[in-house]
Each structure stands twice: as C-alpha cells, then as structure tokens.
Amino acid sequence: MTGDPIRRALDDVWYCVGESRSLRPGGMRSVSLGEEAVVVGREASGALFALRDRCPHRGMALSAGRIVDGNLVCPFHGWQFRPDGVCAAIPALARRDDANFASVRLARFAVAEKSGLIWVHANANLANPNLANANLANANPANANPDAAPPIPEVDFDYCGQLVEILEVEASFDLVALSFVDPAHVAYVHDSWWWRPSKTMKEKVKHFAPSPFGFTMTSHTAKTASLAYRLLGSIPEVEIEFRLPGVRLERITAGAKRLANYTFASPLANGRTALINAMYWNIPALNLLKPVARPLMRQFLGQDRDVLQIAQRGLDRKPAMVLMGESDVQSQWYFSLKREFLRAREAGAAFVNPLEPRELRWRS
Ligand code: FES
Ligand SMILES: [Fe+2]
C-alpha cells in the first residue's frame, strides 16, 4: 500500500459485500471494506443497516453481539445501538448518572440491495449528515451525493436462476480489477476445455465506446462459440461493460434467452480483495446445470486467484507495470477513469468520462 491515491481502492463508491440471502431478518455479520470493519445487519422488517463495527466504548466488534428488540447489543458491557447508529441504552449507568448517551453515535454507511446482492457505500459520512459536519473537515460538499458514485449494477431481465461465488484473493484491488479488462490473460490462465476449446490464437477486432463511469465493448456475435455459449442454443450477442470501481458486466442475448455474468472486486483488509462472480439467467433448463456450473465457476475464479496472488508478490517487490500494445489499452483506460474520478472528487466537480470510442485489436 502506498500513499498515492491512484494505488488505493476508491472510497466514494459502492462495493458488493455479499449475497442478500446471507442475511436473514435479525441477522448480522461483519464485512471488511478496505481497512474499515462494517457490521451489516437486517432488521425484522427486512430493512438493512450498515454501521462501523466498533463499539465507541472500548472498541468491541458489535457484530460479535446480538440484536435484541431491534437494537444491537455490545457483548462487552451491553451498550445498545439503534440501527441508525444512535446509542439507545447504557445498562451500567446508575439512575443519578445523567450521561447523555444519545450523543454517542456509530458511523453509518449507505447500504442497498440489488439483484440478490448487498452493496455498501464506502464513505460512511454520506449516510450520516450529522457526522459529516464534524468529521469531514477536508471533504467536498459534492461528495455528499450518492448519485455521484457509479450506479450499482442491476440485472435488466426477469431471471429464474442465479449463481454466486465469492473468493478472497491476496492481491491489490487494482490487480484484481485489471484482470476484468485484460484479454491477453485468457489464453494462458483460462485454458479449460469447456471454456476455450480451441488452443489457437486469433486476431480479434473489438469496438469500444465510453459508457457511464467506464466503457463498453459493443455487442457482437461470438463466432468461436465456446461450449458455455453454445448451451444457449443459438449464436449469442455479447456485450461487456466495465465501470468503476471494479465492475465487469457481461450480457449475453440469444433471442429471448438472456444470461448475465457479472464480476466485481471489493477491497478487503490487509491488501486483500474479494472476487465476486454473479451469474443470472432466464432459461429454466439452466437451473438443472447449477450443480455442474458451480464447480466450473469456482475453477475459473480460482485460476484468476492463483495467478493474481503470485503476480502480487512480484508487484510487492517492485510496483511498476509495463502496459504495452492494444491488448493493454483497457488497462490504461482503467487508470484514466480512476484518475478522473479522483480529480473530480478533489475539485468537487462532476465526473467527465475521459475516453473516446475506439477499435482495439489483439490476439487471443
Ligand atoms: S465495549 Fe461495547 S459496551 Fe463496552
Ligand atoms: Fe480471468
């Protein structure tokens, strides 16, 4: 980790922290957002909350406690917090003790649920305007707008099946996000028979256009249909969008059949990164393949994890990367987008996409 913000994961954006079904009403768990520990929980009503997972009294993890009558109870001395972060009770206080515990508040994070996934906004102060005045001495008012963040991905069709896998990778956020826009690694890292039946490298021509907070490889026909694509029956149209912070959205259409393969990176503690793959489809027959598809998905993600972890050790010794040729242009774009996002935030200005439409050629 360096002090250079371009090397760090962005903090005014949404990150995926897990599946909706991982939180039942009355449940909670701790998630990492970079070095920040957040307790995400679900109230009896189904509403989600996200608070800093640190009791202000002695630093205890509130996620180790329980939810009682709708309040989080710290397991150390029983301080209670409402889902909005305000302290509701301190059991040890004597009757004559007039300590004003309602002034004790946990930092609160914006939290949202889309297409079966939970997303937390990494800037705690956004969801807590009262705290913002106190804590954000050097922040910009423009940041206090959740719409300034790249939108949370959603699935734009009625899906009948969903498959989610989450892996932890001992590699930086950037290195994982770059693997989403790196066509040259596929032939070497993902050479499974079911994904890449042909071992020969061919020159590819792809068209790209800027899209909100990123760029999109415009829809084309997948000619060398892999087995995974052929399962759709007809030759599919494929569109791949990348957007900040580390979001890759692959949308596959074959007539009325739709398949979405979404991949996200989320920063964890100690320079680790979560690699999240969520697949959705509207083809009932694919539900039968779920038991087969899950291990294949795990294998595919594991191939990325293994290579990223080893590359990270090389970057730890010397962090520089040499980006070369058109197969690395999307990686250059990643850094341009990130730099512009940081510049806009610093200036309190709106993000302006720095990219132009472009054709890229590479062999893969
Ligand atoms: S540390 Fe939480 S109540 Fe004391
Ligand atoms: Fe990969």
Side-chain angles (χ1 to χ4, degrees):
M1 212 39 98
T2 90
D4 182 357
I6 193 75
R7 298 260 177 208
R8 290 198 300 262
L10 297 171
D11 56 9
D12 277 330
V13 291
W14 297 91
Y15 290 109
C16 179
V17 298
E19 284 188 83
S20 295
R21 63 189 189 117
S22 69
L23 276 180
R24 304 269 170 228
M28 59 177 167
R29 65 189 177 85
S30 184
V31 303
S32 296
L33 272 187
E35 300 307 318
E36 184 85 78
V38 180
V39 52
V40 183
R42 194 185 294 280
E43 298 177 54
S45 67
L48 290 174
F49 62 86
L51 301 165
R52 182 165 289 148
D53 192 11
R54 182 189 174 284
C55 181
H57 183 216
R58 297 265 206 285
M60 183 65 195
L62 294 160
S63 56
R66 290 176 303 142
I67 296 181
V68 178
D69 297 333
N71 288 338
L72 262 86
V73 182
C74 180
F76 203 166
H77 314 91
W79 286 25
Q80 293 184 23
F81 298 90
R82 299 197 320 232
D84 63 1
V86 175
C87 184
I90 297 182
L93 291 184
R95 204 161 306 169
R96 70 172 191 194
D97 196 336
D98 62 353
N100 175 21
F101 54 77
S103 67
V104 177
R105 280 158 195 255
L106 303 170
R108 194 176 164 199
F109 296 80
V111 58
E113 207 163 14
K114 304 254 189 213
S115 304
L117 299 171
I118 298 171
W119 295 77
V120 174
H121 194 285
N123 185 341
N125 302 290
L126 260 186
N128 217 339
N130 298 332
L131 278 184
N133 299 333
N135 293 358
L136 276 186
N138 52 3
N140 275 297
N143 298 345
N145 175 11
D147 297 335
I152 299 173
E154 281 184 87
V155 179
D156 61 351
F157 58 88
D158 281 331
Y159 54 91
C160 67
Q162 180 188 16
L163 188 57
V164 180
E165 273 293 310
I166 302 176
L167 259 71
E168 265 190 53
V169 186
E170 273 176 53
S172 72
F173 182 85
D174 278 348
L175 193 56
V176 175
L178 286 175
S179 77
F180 300 168
V181 292
D182 172 18
H185 85 286
V186 179
Y188 291 86
V189 176
H190 304 296
D191 58 352
S192 313
W193 62 269
W194 51 272
W195 180 251
R196 213 186 127 79
S198 159
K199 299 286 177 209
T200 51
M201 307 263 283
K202 293 190 198 72
E203 185 156 313
K204 308 273 165 66
V205 187
K206 306 283 185 188
H207 296 273
F208 289 85
S211 47
F213 297 94
F215 52 90
T216 298
M217 194 176 90
T218 47
S219 198
H220 67 287
T221 303
K223 289 193 199 74
T224 52
S226 67
L227 177 60
Y229 282 170
R230 269 187 282 151
L231 287 172
L232 288 168
S234 60
I235 294 186
E237 296 283 301
V238 182
E239 184 187 85
I240 301 177
E241 176 187 345
F242 177 83
R243 76 169 74 136
L244 290 176
V247 169
R248 180 187 188 272
L249 308 173
E250 182 172 4
R251 304 182 182 98
I252 301 164
T253 308
K257 293 178 186 163
R258 303 286 302 273
L259 197 120
N261 186 31
Y262 288 1
T263 319
F264 317 116
S266 296
L268 302 173
N270 305 317
R272 297 166 72 92
T273 304
L275 172 58
I276 300 157
N277 197 170
M279 203 180 263
Y280 306 85
W281 54 85
N282 69 351
I283 310 149
L286 285 185
N287 292 342
L288 302 171
L289 289 176
K290 240 169 122 162
V292 186
R294 189 181 286 283
L296 294 183
M297 189 190 255
R298 214 174 277 159
Q299 184 193 347
F300 191 88
L301 298 174
Q303 291 165 343
D304 282 315
R305 179 197 51 209
D306 294 349
V307 78
L308 291 169
Q309 293 190 159
I310 299 170
Q312 182 63 55
R313 286 179 224 147
L315 289 173
D316 286 344
R317 293 192 293 276
K318 185 175 189 290
M321 299 181 197
V322 178
L323 301 180
M324 276 240 158
E326 295 189 16
S327 67
D328 271 342
V329 165
Q330 294 177 73
S331 297
Q332 313 260 24
W333 288 348
Y334 169 75
F335 287 115
S336 308
L337 289 162
K338 196 172 170 186
R339 207 168 286 120
E340 163 59 16
F341 191 86
L342 289 166
R343 187 208 62 79
R345 190 182 65 164
E346 194 62 27
F351 174 88
V352 180
N353 194 319
L355 307 181
E356 301 276 341
R358 184 161 168 198
E359 175 197 287
L360 294 178
R361 288 170 188 256
W362 62 75
R363 292 174 61 79
S364 65

mmCIF file of all heavy atoms in Angstrom, residues 108-143:
data_model
loop_
_atom_site.group_PDB
_atom_site.id
_atom_site.type_symbol
_atom_site.label_atom_id
_atom_site.label_comp_id
_atom_site.label_asym_id
_atom_site.label_seq_id
_atom_site.Cartn_x
_atom_site.Cartn_y
_atom_site.Cartn_z
ATOM 1 N N ARG A 108 -22.331 5.561 10.129
ATOM 2 C CA ARG A 108 -23.330 4.789 9.398
ATOM 3 C C ARG A 108 -22.987 4.805 7.910
ATOM 4 O O ARG A 108 -22.554 5.828 7.382
ATOM 5 C CB ARG A 108 -24.660 5.488 9.633
ATOM 6 C CG ARG A 108 -25.870 4.740 9.272
ATOM 7 C CD ARG A 108 -27.049 5.623 9.703
ATOM 8 N NE ARG A 108 -28.268 5.182 9.079
ATOM 9 C CZ ARG A 108 -29.341 5.952 8.969
ATOM 10 N NH1 ARG A 108 -29.326 7.187 9.437
ATOM 11 N NH2 ARG A 108 -30.420 5.479 8.396
ATOM 12 N N PHE A 109 -23.171 3.673 7.258
ATOM 13 C CA PHE A 109 -22.870 3.552 5.821
ATOM 14 C C PHE A 109 -24.172 3.381 5.050
ATOM 15 O O PHE A 109 -25.092 2.707 5.530
ATOM 16 C CB PHE A 109 -21.988 2.325 5.558
ATOM 17 C CG PHE A 109 -20.631 2.403 6.197
ATOM 18 C CD1 PHE A 109 -20.464 2.105 7.542
ATOM 19 C CD2 PHE A 109 -19.517 2.785 5.463
ATOM 20 C CE1 PHE A 109 -19.216 2.185 8.143
ATOM 21 C CE2 PHE A 109 -18.272 2.867 6.045
ATOM 22 C CZ PHE A 109 -18.127 2.562 7.402
ATOM 23 N N ALA A 110 -24.208 3.950 3.853
ATOM 24 C CA ALA A 110 -25.359 3.686 2.980
ATOM 25 C C ALA A 110 -25.283 2.228 2.543
ATOM 26 O O ALA A 110 -24.196 1.717 2.255
ATOM 27 C CB ALA A 110 -25.327 4.617 1.776
ATOM 28 N N VAL A 111 -26.426 1.565 2.511
ATOM 29 C CA VAL A 111 -26.460 0.148 2.146
ATOM 30 C C VAL A 111 -27.638 -0.068 1.204
ATOM 31 O O VAL A 111 -28.679 0.580 1.340
ATOM 32 C CB VAL A 111 -26.507 -0.743 3.412
ATOM 33 C CG1 VAL A 111 -27.703 -0.420 4.283
ATOM 34 C CG2 VAL A 111 -26.486 -2.223 3.082
ATOM 35 N N ALA A 112 -27.463 -0.939 0.220
ATOM 36 C CA ALA A 112 -28.514 -1.169 -0.773
ATOM 37 C C ALA A 112 -28.489 -2.630 -1.190
ATOM 38 O O ALA A 112 -27.486 -3.324 -1.017
ATOM 39 C CB ALA A 112 -28.303 -0.267 -1.991
ATOM 40 N N GLU A 113 -29.608 -3.055 -1.744
ATOM 41 C CA GLU A 113 -29.760 -4.444 -2.149
ATOM 42 C C GLU A 113 -30.272 -4.452 -3.585
ATOM 43 O O GLU A 113 -31.307 -3.849 -3.878
ATOM 44 C CB GLU A 113 -30.811 -5.061 -1.217
ATOM 45 C CG GLU A 113 -30.683 -6.505 -1.004
ATOM 46 C CD GLU A 113 -31.472 -6.954 0.226
ATOM 47 O OE1 GLU A 113 -32.308 -6.200 0.750
ATOM 48 O OE2 GLU A 113 -31.237 -8.079 0.661
ATOM 49 N N LYS A 114 -29.525 -5.100 -4.502
ATOM 50 C CA LYS A 114 -29.953 -5.150 -5.914
ATOM 51 C C LYS A 114 -29.637 -6.533 -6.467
ATOM 52 O O LYS A 114 -28.524 -7.036 -6.291
ATOM 53 C CB LYS A 114 -29.195 -4.135 -6.764
ATOM 54 C CG LYS A 114 -29.298 -2.705 -6.275
ATOM 55 C CD LYS A 114 -30.212 -1.884 -7.143
ATOM 56 C CE LYS A 114 -30.087 -0.436 -6.746
ATOM 57 N NZ LYS A 114 -31.230 0.356 -6.861
ATOM 58 N N SER A 115 -30.599 -7.113 -7.151
ATOM 59 C CA SER A 115 -30.411 -8.394 -7.839
ATOM 60 C C SER A 115 -29.764 -9.445 -6.931
ATOM 61 O O SER A 115 -28.832 -10.143 -7.332
ATOM 62 C CB SER A 115 -29.582 -8.205 -9.116
ATOM 63 O OG SER A 115 -30.187 -7.253 -9.960
ATOM 64 N N GLY A 116 -30.241 -9.514 -5.696
ATOM 65 C CA GLY A 116 -29.787 -10.563 -4.785
ATOM 66 C C GLY A 116 -28.437 -10.316 -4.144
ATOM 67 O O GLY A 116 -27.876 -11.214 -3.517
ATOM 68 N N LEU A 117 -27.904 -9.091 -4.289
ATOM 69 C CA LEU A 117 -26.605 -8.786 -3.696
ATOM 70 C C LEU A 117 -26.714 -7.550 -2.801
ATOM 71 O O LEU A 117 -27.554 -6.678 -3.033
ATOM 72 C CB LEU A 117 -25.567 -8.533 -4.790
ATOM 73 C CG LEU A 117 -25.297 -9.713 -5.740
ATOM 74 C CD1 LEU A 117 -24.418 -9.271 -6.893
ATOM 75 C CD2 LEU A 117 -24.652 -10.874 -4.992
ATOM 76 N N ILE A 118 -25.840 -7.501 -1.800
ATOM 77 C CA ILE A 118 -25.818 -6.370 -0.868
ATOM 78 C C ILE A 118 -24.626 -5.481 -1.206
ATOM 79 O O ILE A 118 -23.513 -5.974 -1.412
ATOM 80 C CB ILE A 118 -25.715 -6.871 0.593
ATOM 81 C CG1 ILE A 118 -26.936 -7.722 0.946
ATOM 82 C CG2 ILE A 118 -25.582 -5.697 1.560
ATOM 83 C CD1 ILE A 118 -26.815 -8.432 2.285
ATOM 84 N N TRP A 119 -24.871 -4.185 -1.256
ATOM 85 C CA TRP A 119 -23.832 -3.203 -1.585
ATOM 86 C C TRP A 119 -23.732 -2.178 -0.474
ATOM 87 O O TRP A 119 -24.753 -1.714 0.050
ATOM 88 C CB TRP A 119 -24.181 -2.496 -2.900
ATOM 89 C CG TRP A 119 -24.181 -3.415 -4.077
ATOM 90 C CD1 TRP A 119 -25.154 -4.324 -4.412
ATOM 91 C CD2 TRP A 119 -23.152 -3.551 -5.070
ATOM 92 N NE1 TRP A 119 -24.775 -5.008 -5.552
ATOM 93 C CE2 TRP A 119 -23.567 -4.542 -5.973
ATOM 94 C CE3 TRP A 119 -21.924 -2.907 -5.285
ATOM 95 C CZ2 TRP A 119 -22.785 -4.924 -7.079
ATOM 96 C CZ3 TRP A 119 -21.156 -3.281 -6.374
ATOM 97 C CH2 TRP A 119 -21.587 -4.281 -7.256
ATOM 98 N N VAL A 120 -22.503 -1.814 -0.108
ATOM 99 C CA VAL A 120 -22.282 -0.797 0.916
ATOM 100 C C VAL A 120 -21.455 0.320 0.296
ATOM 101 O O VAL A 120 -20.499 0.059 -0.443
ATOM 102 C CB VAL A 120 -21.561 -1.397 2.143
ATOM 103 C CG1 VAL A 120 -21.186 -0.307 3.143
ATOM 104 C CG2 VAL A 120 -22.447 -2.445 2.830
ATOM 105 N N HIS A 121 -21.855 1.568 0.579
ATOM 106 C CA HIS A 121 -21.079 2.711 0.100
ATOM 107 C C HIS A 121 -19.940 2.955 1.082
ATOM 108 O O HIS A 121 -20.164 3.029 2.290
ATOM 109 C CB HIS A 121 -21.970 3.947 -0.006
ATOM 110 C CG HIS A 121 -21.334 5.049 -0.796
ATOM 111 N ND1 HIS A 121 -20.328 5.823 -0.295
ATOM 112 C CD2 HIS A 121 -21.539 5.458 -2.066
ATOM 113 C CE1 HIS A 121 -19.947 6.686 -1.228
ATOM 114 N NE2 HIS A 121 -20.667 6.483 -2.316
ATOM 115 N N ALA A 122 -18.717 3.064 0.552
ATOM 116 C CA ALA A 122 -17.543 3.068 1.426
ATOM 117 C C ALA A 122 -17.330 4.376 2.178
ATOM 118 O O ALA A 122 -16.496 4.436 3.078
ATOM 119 C CB ALA A 122 -16.289 2.723 0.623
ATOM 120 N N ASN A 123 -18.080 5.420 1.834
ATOM 121 C CA ASN A 123 -17.937 6.679 2.562
ATOM 122 C C ASN A 123 -19.013 6.763 3.645
ATOM 123 O O ASN A 123 -20.168 7.055 3.368
ATOM 124 C CB ASN A 123 -18.052 7.853 1.581
ATOM 125 C CG ASN A 123 -17.778 9.176 2.261
ATOM 126 O OD1 ASN A 123 -17.838 9.281 3.480
ATOM 127 N ND2 ASN A 123 -17.478 10.175 1.468
ATOM 128 N N ALA A 124 -18.600 6.502 4.887
ATOM 129 C CA ALA A 124 -19.561 6.435 5.996
ATOM 130 C C ALA A 124 -20.338 7.740 6.136
ATOM 131 O O ALA A 124 -21.508 7.721 6.497
ATOM 132 C CB ALA A 124 -18.824 6.146 7.296
ATOM 133 N N ASN A 125 -19.700 8.838 5.848
ATOM 134 C CA ASN A 125 -20.319 10.126 6.154
ATOM 135 C C ASN A 125 -21.493 10.471 5.258
ATOM 136 O O ASN A 125 -22.299 11.319 5.585
ATOM 137 C CB ASN A 125 -19.256 11.211 6.065
ATOM 138 C CG ASN A 125 -18.138 10.895 7.022
ATOM 139 O OD1 ASN A 125 -18.315 10.987 8.217
ATOM 140 N ND2 ASN A 125 -17.015 10.470 6.493
ATOM 141 N N LEU A 126 -21.570 9.784 4.109
ATOM 142 C CA LEU A 126 -22.681 10.022 3.194
ATOM 143 C C LEU A 126 -24.025 9.760 3.845
ATOM 144 O O LEU A 126 -24.986 10.475 3.625
ATOM 145 C CB LEU A 126 -22.560 9.046 2.013
ATOM 146 C CG LEU A 126 -21.960 9.596 0.751
ATOM 147 C CD1 LEU A 126 -22.065 8.538 -0.315
ATOM 148 C CD2 LEU A 126 -22.705 10.836 0.350
ATOM 149 N N ALA A 127 -24.072 8.659 4.609
ATOM 150 C CA ALA A 127 -25.344 8.243 5.179
ATOM 151 C C ALA A 127 -25.602 8.957 6.499
ATOM 152 O O ALA A 127 -26.600 8.720 7.145
ATOM 153 C CB ALA A 127 -25.342 6.736 5.390
ATOM 154 N N ASN A 128 -24.693 9.804 6.902
ATOM 155 C CA ASN A 128 -24.768 10.386 8.233
ATOM 156 C C ASN A 128 -24.453 11.872 8.194
ATOM 157 O O ASN A 128 -23.384 12.302 8.588
ATOM 158 C CB ASN A 128 -23.760 9.660 9.127
ATOM 159 C CG ASN A 128 -24.298 9.484 10.520
ATOM 160 O OD1 ASN A 128 -25.211 10.211 10.914
ATOM 161 N ND2 ASN A 128 -23.742 8.546 11.247
ATOM 162 N N PRO A 129 -25.402 12.688 7.699
ATOM 163 C CA PRO A 129 -25.110 14.104 7.504
ATOM 164 C C PRO A 129 -24.671 14.797 8.799
ATOM 165 O O PRO A 129 -23.867 15.717 8.761
ATOM 166 C CB PRO A 129 -26.419 14.685 6.977
ATOM 167 C CG PRO A 129 -27.401 13.584 6.897
ATOM 168 C CD PRO A 129 -26.752 12.305 7.304
ATOM 169 N N ASN A 130 -25.171 14.331 9.944
ATOM 170 C CA ASN A 130 -24.787 14.988 11.200
ATOM 171 C C ASN A 130 -23.306 14.806 11.479
ATOM 172 O O ASN A 130 -22.618 15.712 11.919
ATOM 173 C CB ASN A 130 -25.582 14.415 12.373
ATOM 174 C CG ASN A 130 -27.062 14.659 12.188
ATOM 175 O OD1 ASN A 130 -27.443 15.627 11.543
ATOM 176 N ND2 ASN A 130 -27.879 13.773 12.727
ATOM 177 N N LEU A 131 -22.835 13.583 11.210
ATOM 178 C CA LEU A 131 -21.423 13.315 11.431
ATOM 179 C C LEU A 131 -20.575 14.029 10.394
ATOM 180 O O LEU A 131 -19.448 14.400 10.649
ATOM 181 C CB LEU A 131 -21.155 11.813 11.321
ATOM 182 C CG LEU A 131 -21.461 10.982 12.557
ATOM 183 C CD1 LEU A 131 -21.039 9.559 12.298
ATOM 184 C CD2 LEU A 131 -20.739 11.529 13.776
ATOM 185 N N ALA A 132 -21.135 14.189 9.196
ATOM 186 C CA ALA A 132 -20.356 14.762 8.102
ATOM 187 C C ALA A 132 -19.803 16.119 8.518
ATOM 188 O O ALA A 132 -18.654 16.431 8.268
ATOM 189 C CB ALA A 132 -21.218 14.899 6.861
ATOM 190 N N ASN A 133 -20.635 16.923 9.195
ATOM 191 C CA ASN A 133 -20.171 18.253 9.591
ATOM 192 C C ASN A 133 -18.987 18.161 10.539
ATOM 193 O O ASN A 133 -18.051 18.931 10.451
ATOM 194 C CB ASN A 133 -21.305 19.008 10.274
ATOM 195 C CG ASN A 133 -22.480 19.174 9.332
ATOM 196 O OD1 ASN A 133 -22.285 19.203 8.111
ATOM 197 N ND2 ASN A 133 -23.668 19.246 9.877
ATOM 198 N N ALA A 134 -19.036 17.186 11.416
ATOM 199 C CA ALA A 134 -17.995 17.084 12.426
ATOM 200 C C ALA A 134 -16.703 16.476 11.876
ATOM 201 O O ALA A 134 -15.617 16.913 12.226
ATOM 202 C CB ALA A 134 -18.502 16.236 13.588
ATOM 203 N N ASN A 135 -16.840 15.500 11.001
ATOM 204 C CA ASN A 135 -15.669 14.693 10.650
ATOM 205 C C ASN A 135 -15.046 15.006 9.308
ATOM 206 O O ASN A 135 -13.969 14.534 9.005
ATOM 207 C CB ASN A 135 -16.046 13.204 10.618
ATOM 208 C CG ASN A 135 -16.397 12.712 12.005
ATOM 209 O OD1 ASN A 135 -16.312 13.483 12.952
ATOM 210 N ND2 ASN A 135 -16.770 11.463 12.120
ATOM 211 N N LEU A 136 -15.736 15.729 8.466
ATOM 212 C CA LEU A 136 -15.244 15.864 7.095
ATOM 213 C C LEU A 136 -14.656 17.247 6.845
ATOM 214 O O LEU A 136 -15.023 17.926 5.906
ATOM 215 C CB LEU A 136 -16.374 15.597 6.098
ATOM 216 C CG LEU A 136 -16.624 14.130 5.776
ATOM 217 C CD1 LEU A 136 -17.654 14.020 4.669
ATOM 218 C CD2 LEU A 136 -15.355 13.419 5.357
ATOM 219 N N ALA A 137 -13.728 17.636 7.683
ATOM 220 C CA ALA A 137 -13.160 18.972 7.582
ATOM 221 C C ALA A 137 -12.590 19.236 6.189
ATOM 222 O O ALA A 137 -12.738 20.322 5.648
ATOM 223 C CB ALA A 137 -12.080 19.144 8.636
ATOM 224 N N ASN A 138 -11.949 18.232 5.593
ATOM 225 C CA ASN A 138 -11.289 18.489 4.321
ATOM 226 C C ASN A 138 -12.044 17.854 3.152
ATOM 227 O O ASN A 138 -11.488 17.573 2.105
ATOM 228 C CB ASN A 138 -9.847 17.970 4.355
ATOM 229 C CG ASN A 138 -9.803 16.519 4.803
ATOM 230 O OD1 ASN A 138 -10.857 15.930 5.022
ATOM 231 N ND2 ASN A 138 -8.626 15.951 4.917
ATOM 232 N N ALA A 139 -13.329 17.610 3.362
ATOM 233 C CA ALA A 139 -14.075 16.948 2.284
ATOM 234 C C ALA A 139 -14.853 17.958 1.452
ATOM 235 O O ALA A 139 -15.014 19.102 1.835
ATOM 236 C CB ALA A 139 -15.024 15.929 2.862
ATOM 237 N N ASN A 140 -15.312 17.503 0.320
ATOM 238 C CA ASN A 140 -16.059 18.342 -0.600
ATOM 239 C C ASN A 140 -17.550 18.132 -0.442
ATOM 240 O O ASN A 140 -17.993 17.003 -0.319
ATOM 241 C CB ASN A 140 -15.695 17.944 -2.022
ATOM 242 C CG ASN A 140 -14.462 18.660 -2.457
ATOM 243 O OD1 ASN A 140 -14.472 19.872 -2.531
ATOM 244 N ND2 ASN A 140 -13.417 17.912 -2.719
ATOM 245 N N PRO A 141 -18.345 19.209 -0.532
ATOM 246 C CA PRO A 141 -19.795 19.024 -0.465
ATOM 247 C C PRO A 141 -20.290 18.131 -1.593
ATOM 248 O O PRO A 141 -21.265 17.400 -1.437
ATOM 249 C CB PRO A 141 -20.365 20.433 -0.614
ATOM 250 C CG PRO A 141 -19.217 21.366 -0.743
ATOM 251 C CD PRO A 141 -17.947 20.604 -0.705
ATOM 252 N N ALA A 142 -19.603 18.153 -2.741
ATOM 253 C CA ALA A 142 -20.048 17.337 -3.885
ATOM 254 C C ALA A 142 -20.055 15.855 -3.537
ATOM 255 O O ALA A 142 -20.789 15.074 -4.142
ATOM 256 C CB ALA A 142 -19.140 17.574 -5.079
ATOM 257 N N ASN A 143 -19.239 15.478 -2.552
ATOM 258 C CA ASN A 143 -19.172 14.057 -2.193
ATOM 259 C C ASN A 143 -20.422 13.590 -1.477
ATOM 260 O O ASN A 143 -20.673 12.400 -1.387
ATOM 261 C CB ASN A 143 -17.994 13.799 -1.264
ATOM 262 C CG ASN A 143 -16.709 14.141 -1.942
ATOM 263 O OD1 ASN A 143 -16.672 14.289 -3.149
ATOM 264 N ND2 ASN A 143 -15.661 14.285 -1.161
#
